[in-house]
Amino acid sequence: MSEHHAAVDTATVESETMKKPPLVDRALIVGGGLGGLAAAIQLRKFGIDAQVYEQNLKISGGQGTLITVFPNGCQVLYKADPEIVTKLREAGIVDSHSWVVNPKSGEQVSSWELMERMEKTYGQPAVAILWDNLLNILSDALPDDCKHMGYKCLDVSQDEEGAIVQFQKGDELISVKAPLVIGADGIHSVVRSKLFGSIPPRDNGRTMWRALIDEDLCSDLGLNVGSMTAIGNGRTMFIVNGSGGKLYWAYSLTDESTDGRSKVRSKDPAEVKARLRQEFEGWDLALKILEATDGELILERRVLDLPVLEEWACGRVALLGDAAHAVTPALGQGANLAFEDGLELALQLSSASNLRSALEAYEKQRIPRAQLISERTRATGIPSPPSFYDWLYTAIPSSSLEQVLYV
């Protein structure tokens, strides 16, 4: 599908659906992360009173993390509110240089030229932005009275008239009913478990360490603004410099390459740094950045994903984002996919003849795309053809099955 054709189709669908009243007048979203907030913005644009319930006492998450909103994500957010993308540009770095570097010396080996011409190629940029900043931008696009903090989801039930979510707020139990409930509560989703039973995340056989530090701490390294990647012997180093005055780094180790050492949790920040010094011995750039980092800022996590569910909805309850299809960070598509989910769901709720048809169409359009992207994120080390990126960054919303199979 060409970029022009995709834009025309989307505009046509939106203009038609905006004329029809939505199938539900209100939706309750469990989870105030990136996917939940973006979905609320999309639904409210189509006339649905979306209310977000978040278990934390304030909108927060992804501390110490940087995220890239790729052209497909920017396209979706632009359709929700062009001002959002304007603010992304102001807060992040746009279509920055991306290099592959020698793991030992840090010298540039090659570059990913597509990263530097995303907007020219696909009509929207790739924006590297701090997770917290993106959360705040999305939150600010919503009225305060639709965001409810401190609500921990305990249970979900439903009848013919609506779905009921039971929350705990402090010492109080509160039940809230809505015509539609959307589970945007992440990889460990309570809503998903109530719909389809326990589906544990899948361990990917590696551990990742990441941190966000002031870029001035590494000013003596002469790093350019942009991203750098190094791969070798089961080890990866990924660095993004210059977004919001910060330097973000993420190092990972596979269990296979370390004879299982990477499975062991570190006891304290001092042990984290000692382990990384040993495992990345000889990787000069990685070690210099490590030494500039306060151990207390380093986050240690196993890399998990979730097999894409074959069903995303049941009755008056639907899932989106990581609750339905958590992917590994390999393609940077986790949040971008969630943004797509929200737009697709809003379109179907505003165009289908009934709720059941809307949710079935939502599943039909989203599941094949999520499945292919999930497969590609797990195929590390296997390069994808240019046609894959063309499809990845433009074929939304309502990607056809034919497009999915083609790439």
Side-chain angles (χ1 to χ4, degrees):
M1 177 186 292
S2 69
E3 176 189 329
H4 175 70
H5 183 57
V8 171
D9 284 352
T10 303
T12 301
V13 171
E14 288 191 8
S15 64
E16 292 300 318
T17 55
M18 293 292 283
K19 298 176 183 178
K20 297 178 60 177
L23 294 170
V24 296
D25 60 354
R26 187 163 49 90
L28 188 162
I29 299 175
V30 179
L34 298 176
L37 294 175
I41 295 168
Q42 295 285 3
L43 292 169
R44 294 178 75 87
K45 177 184 176 181
F46 283 86
I48 299 172
D49 179 18
Q51 299 288 318
V52 179
Y53 287 77
E54 165 59 36
Q55 68 176 354
N56 292 319
L57 296 178
K58 63 178 183 178
I59 296 294
S60 62
Q63 286 81 3
T65 304
L66 179 140
I67 186 172
T68 298
V69 185
F70 283 98
N72 54 316
C74 282
Q75 181 181 343
V76 168
L77 295 177
Y78 185 86
K79 291 179 183 301
D81 182 353
E83 185 65 21
I84 292 176
V85 177
T86 298
K87 291 181 178 180
L88 291 186
R89 291 174 180 272
E90 295 171 350
I93 52 176
V94 176
D95 289 359
S96 60
H97 295 284
S98 179
W99 299 278
V100 175
V101 300
N102 183 297
K104 300 292 185 180
S105 65
E107 295 179 352
Q108 296 174 16
V109 175
S110 62
S111 64
W112 189 33
E113 295 181 358
L114 178 61
M115 190 66 176
E116 301 169 27
R117 51 183 174 83
M118 288 287 191
E119 186 164 17
K120 183 177 180 180
T121 304
Y122 301 115
Q124 290 288 349
V127 183
I129 184 172
L130 304 183
W131 192 297
D132 281 349
N133 288 348
L134 178 54
L135 265 178
N136 290 333
I137 289 170
L138 295 178
S139 179
D140 289 345
L142 290 167
D144 289 340
D145 61 5
C146 81
K147 294 173 289 188
H148 310 271
M149 301 296 106
Y151 284 77
K152 181 180 180 181
C153 177
L154 300 179
D155 197 9
V156 181
S157 59
Q158 54 186 311
D159 55 32
E160 293 182 358
E161 298 178 353
I164 304 99
V165 183
Q166 186 177 73
F167 294 102
Q168 180 178 348
K169 182 173 173 59
D171 296 329
E172 187 178 4
L173 295 180
I174 300 173
S175 293
V176 183
K177 187 172 185 177
L180 176 67
V181 167
I182 300 168
D185 50 341
I187 191 170
H188 300 290
S189 171
V190 174
V191 178
R192 181 183 71 239
S193 70
K194 299 303 179 182
L195 287 184
F196 304 118
S198 176
I199 305 174
R202 179 169 53 186
D203 191 295
N204 275 254
R206 58 190 169 117
T207 295
M208 177 178 288
W209 293 262
R210 67 176 189 262
L212 190 68
I213 63 175
D214 292 336
E215 63 178 336
D216 292 345
L217 295 174
C218 296
S219 59
D220 60 324
L221 299 181
L223 301 177
N224 294 317
V225 173
S227 65
M228 287 153 278
T229 304
I231 302 174
N233 193 28
R235 290 149 173 78
T236 63
M237 174 189 75
F238 178 67
I239 300 165
V240 179
N241 185 46
S243 181
K246 298 291 185 178
L247 182 147
Y248 168 77
W249 63 259
Y251 304 164
S252 70
L253 299 169
T254 64
D255 299 343
E256 182 180 6
S257 68
T258 60
D259 295 325
R261 293 190 304 275
S262 57
K263 293 181 180 180
V264 180
R265 293 296 301 269
S266 301
K267 298 177 183 177
D268 52 44
E271 185 177 13
V272 167
K273 295 191 73 169
R275 291 178 66 188
L276 292 177
R277 288 189 196 102
Q278 178 182 358
E279 298 292 354
F280 286 87
E281 182 179 2
W283 290 45
D284 290 347
L285 180 58
L287 292 179
K288 288 176 181 177
I289 293 174
L290 176 65
E291 292 309 316
T293 305
D294 184 339
E296 297 285 348
L297 298 177
I298 303 174
L299 304 176
E300 179 180 280
R301 297 286 187 273
R302 291 293 286 177
V303 177
L304 306 174
D305 74 347
L306 185 79
V308 178
L309 303 188
E310 296 182 359
E311 293 180 276
W312 292 11
C314 180
R316 292 180 172 271
V317 183
L319 302 175
L320 66 73
D322 282 358
H325 53 69
V327 296
T328 74
L331 290 174
Q333 281 294 311
N336 293 278
L337 279 176
F339 298 159
E340 293 180 16
D341 292 345
L343 175 56
E344 186 68 56
L345 185 56
L347 288 170
Q348 297 299 341
L349 290 171
S350 302
S351 61
S353 58
N354 56 66
L355 182 59
R356 179 177 178 180
S357 296
L359 297 182
E360 287 178 348
Y362 168 63
E363 292 175 317
K364 180 180 179 180
Q365 300 295 352
R366 295 303 302 156
I367 291 176
R369 179 169 168 86
Q371 287 174 332
L372 179 55
I373 293 174
S374 178
E375 291 169 5
R376 291 294 172 93
T377 64
R378 292 179 62 81
T380 55
I382 302 176
S384 297
S387 61
F388 172 75
Y389 291 105
D390 291 343
W391 169 79
L392 178 63
Y393 297 141
T394 62
I396 53 96
S398 298
S399 305
S400 73
L401 183 59
E402 288 73 20
Q403 290 170 326
V404 174
L405 295 177
Y406 175 74
V407 297

